[in-house]
Amino acid sequence: MYDYEQRLKAAQNAIKNADHVLIGAGAGLSAAAGLTYSGKRFTGNFADFIKKYGVEDMYSASFYPFPTQEELWAHWARHIDVNRYLEGPTPLYRDLLCLVRVKDFFVITTNVESQFEKADFPMDKIFEVQGNYGYLQCAKGCHSKRYENMRLVKQMVAETRNCKIPSYLVPVCPVCGGPMDVNLRHNNYFVQDNAWYAQNDRYQAYVRRIQKKRTVFLELGVGFNTPGIIRYPFEQMAHQYSHAVLVRMNRDYPMGAKENLERTISFDEDMEETIRLLLSNDKERGNPYMSPPVIESKITNEAR
């Protein structure tokens, strides 16, 4: 592996020469942006739930067996509010848009807190494959409609007492009368509505369109929780597409498939700093987004 500066230059050169940039974003991207599910961000927002139930972080707390619907939804409302509504656009996501905005790009993400939307990525260029905190659905998926939840979530948060909401705020499916759930792919009842299928169609069309073009697969914070959605397909496409480069940023799992070593630029350094350096190096040369190639590399030559 080249040293950090060489890899920065190689990634910059690859993006500069690319016709297309396909971004694959996982939980590590949001964590790098500061949207962590543990530490002070958790203890500062969930002190009452920690004291009452002994929950240890936001992720595991979302699977806690709360004994009543009133307690379950008091927790979910807080969780959704903290991660979806209280957080504005983060600098990392905005820097990422600056990095690719002059390119033909598309985003597939397993993240559900809408940071791409908040950072002004066009909605028709985002595929939120695992759902979105901003919607509810029937818990048994009895029909394929999602329901916006901001007003209800805000009311739940405002009326939470002793880690419970009033019973009249517990959401009920308007079709079957059963319980509701957050629109997340955490069981077999995940609802995929017309908007989800439209996102999927746009993603599949984009993948077909870039097959013979100079493409950078920019994989950010994707581990092995659901590798079949982004990580493995990106490696497969990088191997199959003759003009492809895989740029992978991952603190814990930066390694690339052995078949793609000469087409992979890996970073385990701080992601926010790495994206910022890619931008600042270009701005110093007078271009607010991308600059001319700064090095010739085997990786970039492969993509020409």
Side-chain angles (χ1 to χ4, degrees):
M1 180 180 289
Y2 301 119
D3 66 27
Y4 188 37
E5 183 64 25
Q6 288 176 311
R7 284 179 282 124
L8 282 171
K9 291 178 179 179
Q12 180 185 42
N13 200 28
I15 296 171
K16 168 62 183 178
N17 285 281
D19 300 309
H20 309 278
V21 178
L22 179 54
I23 298 170
L29 172 61
S30 286
L35 305 181
T36 57
Y37 276 19
S38 58
K40 291 183 179 179
R41 191 166 178 269
F42 171 59
T43 57
N45 286 293
F46 290 88
D48 49 348
F49 286 88
I50 296 169
K51 181 178 180 180
K52 186 171 183 178
Y53 304 102
V55 291
E56 298 180 348
D57 58 72
M58 275 188 259
Y59 180 77
S60 62
S62 66
F63 295 96
Y64 185 87
F66 292 99
T68 67
Q69 286 283 300
E70 288 80 3
E71 291 163 279
L72 173 71
W73 281 105
H75 171 263
W76 266 124
R78 183 88 57 84
H79 182 106
I80 294 168
D81 197 39
V82 166
N83 292 294
R84 173 63 179 86
Y85 297 122
L86 294 181
E87 287 287 351
T90 60
L92 176 53
Y93 276 84
R94 285 188 159 171
D95 285 347
L96 181 59
L97 178 59
C98 288
L99 186 66
V100 302
R101 67 191 308 166
V102 298
K103 297 293 180 179
D104 177 23
F105 68 86
F106 197 91
V107 175
I108 178 171
T109 181
T110 55
N111 295 339
V112 295
E113 72 289 286
S114 300
Q115 274 292 315
F116 283 104
E117 178 185 353
K118 292 179 182 181
D120 293 328
F121 281 76
M123 288 301 296
D124 63 351
K125 294 180 179 292
I126 306 169
F127 181 20
E128 296 174 319
V129 66
Q130 297 288 68
N132 187 306
Y133 277 143
Y135 294 91
L136 302 184
Q137 63 162 79
C138 173
K140 295 299 183 181
C142 79
H143 65 294
S144 58
K145 181 178 179 180
R146 302 184 303 168
Y147 300 85
E148 294 184 359
N149 64 25
M150 184 174 72
R151 180 178 296 182
L152 178 61
V153 163
K154 291 294 187 181
Q155 188 175 1
M156 288 178 176
V157 170
E159 298 191 33
T160 294
R161 302 290 185 274
N162 191 29
C163 300
K164 295 181 181 180
I165 62 168
S167 296
Y168 70 85
L169 288 180
V170 173
V172 175
C173 176
V175 175
C176 71
M180 297 287 276
D181 198 356
V182 188
N183 181 232
L184 304 177
R185 193 188 299 275
H186 58 184
N187 56 37
N188 293 330
Y189 301 108
F190 176 66
V191 163
Q192 298 172 176
D193 64 359
N194 289 337
W196 187 96
Y197 284 106
Q199 289 178 328
N200 181 59
D201 288 345
R202 287 191 291 268
Y203 172 65
Q204 298 299 334
Y206 185 87
V207 168
R208 290 191 297 269
R209 180 157 54 88
I210 65 177
Q211 188 168 357
K212 296 182 180 180
K213 302 294 182 63
R214 294 176 299 184
T215 300
V216 166
F217 294 93
L218 183 57
E219 185 191 293
L220 306 171
V222 179
F224 289 96
N225 189 19
T226 54
I229 296 175
I230 296 172
R231 189 178 180 102
Y232 292 163
F234 272 33
E235 288 183 343
Q236 184 178 35
M237 287 186 286
H239 180 66
Q240 293 176 344
Y241 292 9
S242 58
H243 303 296
V245 176
L246 173 61
V247 178
R248 170 174 287 157
M249 299 185 191
N250 195 301
R251 183 189 63 187
D252 298 319
Y253 309 106
M255 70 294 290
K258 62 180 181 179
E259 295 85 357
N260 289 339
L261 289 181
E262 293 189 354
R263 294 188 181 189
T264 302
I265 309 169
S266 297
F267 295 91
D268 60 0
E269 292 83 2
D270 180 82
M271 191 185 305
E272 189 168 34
E273 178 185 358
T274 299
I275 296 293
R276 189 183 301 121
L277 285 172
L278 288 174
L279 283 173
S280 63
N281 287 346
D282 292 321
K283 290 178 181 179
E284 290 173 1
R285 294 171 173 83
N287 188 320
Y289 306 120
M290 296 305 302
S291 68
V294 291
I295 66 168
E296 293 293 330
S297 71
K298 187 173 184 180
I299 297 171
T300 304
N301 287 337
E302 183 81 33
R304 288 176 180 258

